[in-house]
């Protein structure tokens, strides 16, 4: 490692480990255990008898994932505007973590799989030093339990272990498997704020009220930085590592070697919205390469094959949303929550309306014809008519639409040339026709987005022709009509 790189590396010292950092001023100390704990990890509604059988390496995994996730939230990134070649978006992080099975964690193949996967997800560079934990640095499984009055059926046997965020895609996936496929589901929900778990519990309550109680086991898990004032970053690039680690741990309790992610394929692929929005700025939380990376990490740790199912990998947001209506749950669309900015939303609103997830959600719901069930009043910013304000918010929305316009008429060969990032994904789909399927999916997505814009143009034609400039200049409808399809990201 050269000196420049070493000087820029931030050291994260975990679990009270005795370690002298090279730069004490920038070092971060994290702990899930003891009087100095600043990370909370609580697993709800899992029985003591089940938790007592968690293999030590999986307790290590939960703690490693918690440290990575919480450190990422406490590591500041830059804005969408590219400055200094994006230096603020690329960090070097070294973790020193006490574990129960250091021989396993210090294996070259395990470290390489972990560092490679996390780097692809977050665009940070990672280094890990695993040390033998002692009684003062490690918790027992029971210390992580927080038992609530249980609504779960005794002796429940799940068909699938599924990630459940309370977002639109995860709810649509759960409903489809419960109703159409008649499966028993263990729904694993991570949350860091009470607003998130309230959404999850409300949706679970609706499913139970509709006669699905016997098919559901719901276990929420709380992982968060205890002092929210120290959180600097809300993009949660590594949240899916927490999600997957939780799911695979609980899956092992039920002797299952498969877990399921519900996420539409457009968001999973998540092509960069602009030439300079790439790397850490283009989230890769459920990208095919990330999913394969999780499989490799878990398989190496457990010494057996672990697989991750991704049933919506070729579906658009509209198609996933439409499953709710098809299965008789369309009226609950508006009760889901997809916003990534839980801490900064306007009071009384459930969605900010300006983050990428809010934009994608609203386009998908309107394209599916379910806007009646998703009141615009719950968004701080109206999709088509709201003033987007800051440059970052304008960048996000306009380039989202620009991407749809590019794909509307693009050929397969043109896509491969214009979007070389598809080749990061194609080897990891395990599908010989992946490139063609990506093209088909993205063209369907483009038609969905443009259909919503066309409908808005017709509905608001008088406002568009009004010379008094009734519409804000930074609303998406105005910018779409004035040809503002590309917003430059680079500042000169």
């Amino acid at each position: 490692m050269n000196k420049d790189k070493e000087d820029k590396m931030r050291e994260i010292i975990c679990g009270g480990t005795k370690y002298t950092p090279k730069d004490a001023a920038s070092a971060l100390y994290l702990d899930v255990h003891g009087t100095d704990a600043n990370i909370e990890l609580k697993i709800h509604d899992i029985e003591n008898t089940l938790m007592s059988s968690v293999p030590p390496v999986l307790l290590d995994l939960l703690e490693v994932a918690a440290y990575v996730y919480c450190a990422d939230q406490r590591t500041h990134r830059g804005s969408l505007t590219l400055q200094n070649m994006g230096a603020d978006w690329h960090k070097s992080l070294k973790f020193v973590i006490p574990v129960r099975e250091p021989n396993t964690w210090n294996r070259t193949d395990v470290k390489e799989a972990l560092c490679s996967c996390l780097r692809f997800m977050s665009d940070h560079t990672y280094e890990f030093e695993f040390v033998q934990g002692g009684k003062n640095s490690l918790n027992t499984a029971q210390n992580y339990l927080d038992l609530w009055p249980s609504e779960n059926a005794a002796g429940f046997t799940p068909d699938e272990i599924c990630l459940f965020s309370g977002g639109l895609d995860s709810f649509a996936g759960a409903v489809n498997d419960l109703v159409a496929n008649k499966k028993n589901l263990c729904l694993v929900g991570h949350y860091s704020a009470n607003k998130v778990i309230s959404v999850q519990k409300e949706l679970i309550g609706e499913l139970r009220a509709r006669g699905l109680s016997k098919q559901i086991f719901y276990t929420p898990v709380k992982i968060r930085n205890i002092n929210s004032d120290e959180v600097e970053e809300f993009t949660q690039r590594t949240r899916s590592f927490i999600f997957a680690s939780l799911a695979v741990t609980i899956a092992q309790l039920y002797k299952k070697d498969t877990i399921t992610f519900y996420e539409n394929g457009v968001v999973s692929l998540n092509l960069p919205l602009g030439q300079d929005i790439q790397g850490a700025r283009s989230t890769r939380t459920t990208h095919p390469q990330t999913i394969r990376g999780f499989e490799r990490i878990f398989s190496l740790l457990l010494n057996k094959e672990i697989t991750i199912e991704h049933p919506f990998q070729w579906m658009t947001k509209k198609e996933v949303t439409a499953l709710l209506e098809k299965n008789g749950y369309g009226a609950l669309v508006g009760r889901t929550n997809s916003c990534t900015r839980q801490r900064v939303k306007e009071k009384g609103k459930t969605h900010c309306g300006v983050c990428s997830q809010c934009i994608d959600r609203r386009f998908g719901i309107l394209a599916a014809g379910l806007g009646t069930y998703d009141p615009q009043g719950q968004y701080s910013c109206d999709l088509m008519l709201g003033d987007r304000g800051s440059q970052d918010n304008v960048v996000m929305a306009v380039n989202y639409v620009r991407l749809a316009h590019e794909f509307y008429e693009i050929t397969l060969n043109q896509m491969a040339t214009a979007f070389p990032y598809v080749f990061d994904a194609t080897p990891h789909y395990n599908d010989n026709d992946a490139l063609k399927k990506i093209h088909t999916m993205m063209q369907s997505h483009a038609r969905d987005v443009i259909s919503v814009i066309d409908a808005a143009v017709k509905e608001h034609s008088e406002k568009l022709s009004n010379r008094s400039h009734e519409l804000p200049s930074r609303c998406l409808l105005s910018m779409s009509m004035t040809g503002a399809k590309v917003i430059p990201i680079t500042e000169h």
Side-chain angles (χ1 to χ4, degrees), residues 277-311:
I277 303 181
Q278 50 190 273
R281 297 187 184 77
S282 183
T283 59
R284 296 160 168 172
T285 54
T286 56
H287 189 281
Q289 184 170 336
T290 299
I291 289 176
R292 299 288 88 80
F294 290 159
E295 288 178 337
R296 177 163 170 73
I297 294 168
F298 302 151
S299 297
L300 289 171
L301 289 175
L302 293 167
N303 197 31
K304 60 180 175 179
E305 185 176 0
I306 302 296
T307 58
I308 298 177
E309 298 293 336
H310 188 194

Side-chain angles (χ1 to χ4, degrees), residues 157-231:
T157 303
D159 297 309
E160 304 282 352
I161 312 296
C162 311
L163 287 305
F164 186 74
S165 66
L168 185 54
D169 288 17
S170 72
F171 185 59
V175 166
N176 195 58
D177 269 341
L178 289 166
V179 176
N181 299 326
K182 309 296 184 186
K183 291 182 178 180
N184 292 342
L185 301 183
C186 176
L187 299 173
V188 182
H190 164 250
Y191 73 102
S192 56
N194 290 335
K195 292 179 182 178
V196 176
I197 193 172
S198 65
V199 170
Q200 293 178 10
K201 291 179 73 174
E202 184 178 340
L203 293 172
I204 294 293
E206 292 288 349
L207 294 174
R208 293 189 191 280
R210 285 162 169 74
L212 299 174
S213 287
K214 293 182 179 180
Q215 294 175 245
I216 298 170
F217 187 105
Y218 167 57
T219 179
V221 183
K222 188 175 191 177
I223 300 178
R224 68 182 182 100
N225 283 288
I226 290 175
N227 188 353
S228 60
D229 292 339
E230 295 176 349
V231 173

Side-chain angles (χ1 to χ4, degrees), residues 38-50:
N38 54 6
I39 294 176
E40 184 177 11
L41 170 55
K42 288 295 181 182
I43 302 172
H44 305 288
D45 240 6
I46 291 289
E47 297 176 8
N48 271 298
T49 53
L50 278 176

